[in-house]
Amino acid sequence: MNAFTSLSVAMFKASIRDKAALFFTFMFPLMFLVVFALLSGVKLASNVEIAVVGDSRVVAALQNSEGVNIQRIKESSSAIDMLRDGKVAAIVVSQGDTIDVRYANGDRAETGPALAKISDAIASANLGAGTTPPKYAVRQKPIEETAFEPIQYLTPGILSWGVSTAAVFSSALTLVAWRRKQVLRRIQLAPIGRGSVLSSRLLLSVVIALLQAVLFVAVATLPVFGLKLSNQWWLAIPLLILGTLAFFSVGMLLGAICKTEDSVTGAANLVVLPMALLAGSFFPIDKAPDWVKLITNALPLRHMNEGMLDVLVRGKGFDALVLPGSVLIGFTLVVSAIAAVSFRWEDK
Amino acid sequence: MRADGPAIVVSDIRKSYGDLRAVDGVSFTVAEGEFFGLLGPNGAGKSTTLEIIEGLRKPDSGSVRILGESPWPRNPALLPKMGVQLQASSFFERLTSKEQLQTFGSLYGVSRAAAVDMLELVGLTDKADVQENNLSGGQRQRLSIACALAHDPEIVFLDEPTAALDPQARRNLWDVLRAIQARGKTIVYTTHHLDEAEILCDRVAVVDKGRVMAMGAPAWLVRKLDAQTQVIVEHGTVTVEIARNLPGADKVIDDGVSVIIATNDAGLTIKALGELDALNKAQVRTATLEDVFLHLTGRAYRE
């Protein structure tokens, strides 16, 4: 075995023997998935915005429901524009006894509660009319083809977060541990290219990221969760690799700066957690103020999230990889350049 | 030039950190197959000297030649000929003894089987499948030496291999070090155990404050000191007065357990004691490297 293979094998063995790290790499993101899948079913406290075209008992019932703000609109086309812009969560078009309910793709948290309010209003209007069969016929359909269950947008987000966390932490901890235990100096004293050492460690991170994705998607597609993958799901593989590269370089930078395992763990948490929250890995950030959105667009995780959502769930093609891919590559180049400058073989 | 040339030539190397002169003009030569000790207290500059020789640090001035080549800047042709054990036990995480050796060996392109042979040399064959963090201090130290030897280097550098070991583990390690020398390796090692250096090394350099205070075979250094020998006999065998009048005797102390006779001529003193039939359970304590150090630096040696 050459040095590259041997190092890769050694590090792979070491990582599967580290039970705590295995848990945080593989089980922790799954726990988040379960928690957020449960939470997303809970009614949100804020009022939901619903656009209404036309009038009927259903509209009246909707107007009387708590937690609903009605916006009366003349034209259904302008109502659909409002829906597209995220200004309302759903539209109710009332024409005679037919009620058309339209809603946006489910990556908006308020869609579920809005639809629940509408179906309550329809039920109460039918009850008021007292006819059999029910007076109001309902046609419900999203403005785009696919309807999203919460699992559909939770999976790409939490998976991206899980991959980024594992890549940052494991690479940063390896670098700090190797420097502190002088393994780096041993490597310096061996006739081996530094590239083999770095690339074997990177290979490990990529393998772990792909394993994470397989396990995570396998669990999310269980009937309990009900994730439906797009036909383009395999486009997620290059994205996972590029994301791992980007966050591996963050780990290398943190590992270059920090001296102890404790300090690097703290630093990695400080970077990864706020980034995951701002990037919308756990919940959508559509409602965030514009300045927050500006920040999130600068975050590599945000682009990884979006890209994963596009290819895993929305079924978009290769085009959807261009922006996130470019951002991740650019980010990797900049951060790894800084990491290379900050790199130290030993503690002074 | 390799055939007869020295393994290591160090010429007047210097290294300062700010105002601290860590290494202040150190020169020495190590022959092939020699067991050479750099000894002195902590902070004497031993480790920095070793790191400069290994090529991990650039000296401010002076030069190093290993097998005729310079170790600085990083010299990939030279690296396979050197085996380095670092002060800390540096291992990969969560690998067994066997895997550590194979992994370190692979950095030098050594076959897995050859690397594992080293386990036998250091007496860890039965610990092959034990993870490094479950080994005792002494076993871990022996494993780290085995890792330094995994690629069968010509010169072995060991930095404080016996530090922090209990007496039994230290003695086990001495056997390992002798076995390595028996294989024809050149060994350069640092220690702050003067007694150990005296037993193991062919030659030592006594280092203090970045300078070589003395160099040579331990026995020669001690003899050159021309120090008094202590002859110790059981309390009650001779009186202090009699002892003081023995040929060669200088100071005499009776501590209630032993009568300690410092003598300038141990031969004469012992002969006289023998005539008095006072040699039952007698001990002779000659000067040690510790006395050499005390003499050279004017202060007692602190480990």
Side-chain angles (χ1 to χ4, degrees):
Chain A
M1 270 205 259
N2 63 18
F4 173 80
T5 327
S6 180
L7 275 174
S8 305
V9 170
M11 288 186 286
F12 185 75
K13 279 181 182 165
S15 55
I16 57 173
R17 284 173 192 168
D18 187 351
K19 301 290 178 267
L22 276 185
F23 174 81
F24 279 103
T25 305
F26 293 103
M27 299 316 288
F28 203 46
L30 284 176
M31 281 171 52
F32 269 66
L33 185 75
V34 172
V35 168
F36 281 98
L38 289 173
L39 282 179
S40 64
V42 175
K43 195 184 83 176
L44 295 175
S46 65
N47 285 2
V48 292
E49 303 283 337
I50 296 173
V52 175
V53 181
D55 206 351
S56 65
R57 274 174 193 253
V58 174
V59 175
L62 204 52
Q63 201 154 23
N64 291 332
S65 344
E66 271 180 37
V68 176
N69 288 347
I70 295 282
Q71 297 195 34
R72 289 178 182 277
I73 309 293
K74 291 236 163 62
E75 296 294 325
S76 59
S77 62
S78 50
I80 287 174
D81 286 344
M82 292 175 74
L83 183 55
R84 287 224 163 89
D85 295 346
K87 285 180 181 142
V88 294
I91 313 172
V92 173
V93 181
S94 190
Q95 255 184 333
D97 290 348
T98 308
I99 307 291
D100 275 309
V101 179
R102 309 290 303 274
Y103 52 94
N105 270 335
D107 51 341
R108 295 184 186 159
E110 63 271 31
T111 305
L115 292 180
K117 292 289 179 195
I118 293 166
S119 75
D120 284 353
I122 291 165
S124 95
N126 276 332
L127 205 63
T131 54
T132 320
K135 178 174 164 62
Y136 294 104
V138 182
R139 293 187 306 201
Q140 188 167 313
K141 144 169 144 199
I143 51 169
E144 285 160 39
E145 299 76 39
T146 42
F148 282 1
E149 292 294 316
I151 190 74
Q152 303 290 94
Y153 65 81
L154 282 175
T155 305
I158 297 179
L159 175 58
S160 302
W161 166 75
V163 165
S164 67
T165 303
V168 171
F169 275 83
S170 67
S171 58
L173 282 170
T174 300
L175 183 52
V176 170
W178 282 14
R179 184 169 51 241
R180 207 178 48 76
K181 294 167 75 185
Q182 300 195 328
V183 173
L184 283 185
R185 301 182 85 190
R186 282 300 314 266
I187 289 169
Q188 211 182 353
L189 286 167
I192 177 184
R194 289 114 202 245
S196 329
V197 181
L198 190 64
S199 54
S200 60
R201 185 61 190 77
L202 181 57
L203 176 72
L204 176 69
S205 280
V206 169
V207 168
I208 286 177
L210 295 177
L211 288 176
Q212 280 180 302
V214 168
L215 176 72
F216 199 75
V217 170
V219 170
T221 45
L222 290 175
V224 180
F225 296 105
L227 173 72
K228 288 178 188 64
L229 283 181
S230 78
N231 294 329
Q232 311 282 345
W233 62 266
W234 50 271
L235 285 172
I237 294 171
L239 208 52
L240 281 168
I241 294 172
L242 291 178
T244 307
L245 269 168
F247 295 110
F248 182 87
S249 61
V250 173
M252 285 289 125
L253 176 58
L254 295 178
I257 296 168
C258 297
K259 281 193 171 160
T260 63
E261 280 93 334
D262 283 344
S263 64
V264 84
T265 304
N269 269 319
L270 213 58
V271 170
V272 174
L273 264 181
M275 181 172 68
L277 293 173
L278 286 173
S281 288
F282 304 136
F283 36 79
I285 46 155
D286 297 333
K287 282 197 163 176
D290 285 344
W291 64 271
V292 174
K293 285 185 184 167
L294 207 65
I295 297 174
T296 69
N297 279 327
L299 298 174
L301 187 57
R302 169 78 186 151
H303 294 276
M304 187 174 172
N305 281 348
E306 280 299 315
M308 295 288 278
L309 192 61
D310 282 346
V311 298
L312 272 185
V313 178
R314 287 184 179 137
K316 292 195 183 172
F318 184 78
D319 290 353
L321 292 184
V322 175
L323 176 65
S326 320
V327 171
L328 290 173
I329 290 171
F331 184 82
T332 305
L333 291 177
V334 172
V335 175
S336 48
I338 303 173
V341 171
S342 324
F343 179 83
R344 292 165 290 137
W345 286 98
E346 57 184 305
D347 283 322
K348 281 283 170 271
Chain B
M1 71 158 291
R2 280 290 321 287
D4 306 311
I8 300 167
V9 181
V10 178
S11 314
D12 197 29
I13 53 170
R14 288 167 201 274
K15 182 84 184 173
S16 297
Y17 296 109
D19 289 339
L20 176 73
R21 291 179 179 176
V23 181
D24 195 10
V26 168
S27 303
F28 59 83
T29 300
V30 181
E32 278 197 42
E34 193 171 24
F35 196 140
F36 188 83
L38 277 170
L39 53 143
N42 289 327
K46 307 186 298 284
S47 291
T48 310
T49 302
L50 202 61
E51 284 166 359
I52 291 171
I53 299 170
E54 291 162 353
L56 281 171
R57 282 181 209 293
K58 185 182 191 291
D60 295 339
S61 66
S63 75
V64 177
R65 283 282 176 280
I66 296 182
L67 303 170
E69 295 188 58
S70 173
W72 182 277
R74 190 170 179 265
N75 185 343
L78 193 55
L79 295 176
K81 298 172 186 166
M82 300 172 13
V84 176
Q85 184 240 1
L86 298 166
Q87 202 157 6
S89 293
S90 52
F91 294 110
F92 292 98
E93 298 93 340
R94 290 177 294 280
L95 294 188
T96 65
S97 306
K98 193 167 80 184
E99 290 163 349
Q100 298 283 0
L101 274 168
Q102 289 169 338
T103 309
F104 277 112
S106 76
L107 300 179
Y108 295 84
V110 173
S111 81
R112 297 166 77 80
V116 172
D117 280 349
M118 287 300 158
L119 277 181
E120 201 184 326
L121 177 70
V122 299
L124 285 178
T125 315
D126 56 331
K127 301 287 177 191
D129 297 317
V130 177
Q131 279 186 35
E132 161 265 316
N133 47 315
N134 294 328
L135 295 176
S136 74
Q139 291 166 341
R140 199 173 299 139
Q141 199 64 269
R142 279 184 276 152
L143 177 61
S144 86
I145 291 172
C147 288
L149 296 168
H151 57 289
D152 201 27
E154 294 175 39
I155 303 175
V156 188
F157 296 97
L158 307 168
D159 199 358
E160 302 271 0
T162 55
L165 293 188
D166 61 60
Q168 183 59 48
R170 265 178 76 196
R171 271 164 187 74
N172 288 341
L173 198 62
W174 294 356
D175 294 336
V176 170
L177 297 178
R178 288 196 186 101
I180 295 168
Q181 195 190 15
R183 291 193 170 200
K185 312 279 182 213
T186 306
I187 302 175
V188 177
Y189 104 123
T190 67
T191 185
H192 57 254
H193 293 304
L194 297 179
D195 55 338
E196 174 183 293
E198 206 167 340
I199 292 166
L200 289 174
C201 296
D202 296 325
R203 279 194 315 138
V204 297
V206 181
V207 181
D208 191 42
K209 294 177 180 163
R211 290 207 187 95
V212 176
M213 311 299 287
M215 186 155 47
W220 181 79
L221 286 176
V222 171
R223 218 172 292 141
K224 202 178 76 163
L225 190 61
D226 208 15
Q228 290 181 333
T229 302
Q230 291 181 336
V231 180
I232 302 155
V233 295
E234 227 178 326
H235 171 74
T237 43
V238 288
T239 65
V240 174
E241 283 71 35
I242 294 171
R244 229 170 240 148
N245 291 319
L246 290 170
D250 184 18
K251 281 189 199 128
V252 177
I253 301 161
D254 185 343
D255 65 6
V257 181
S258 313
V259 178
I260 302 156
I261 308 160
T263 167
N264 293 314
D265 191 332
L268 280 178
T269 311
I270 292 168
K271 197 173 162 218
L273 280 168
E275 284 159 7
L276 292 171
D277 202 16
L279 279 177
N280 189 30
K281 292 178 184 167
Q283 293 167 278
V284 178
R285 195 174 290 159
T286 56
T288 63
L289 277 179
E290 210 160 313
D291 299 304
V292 174
F293 185 86
L294 177 65
H295 175 74
L296 290 169
T297 63
R299 57 196 163 89
Y301 189 82
R302 300 254 183 280
E303 289 202 342

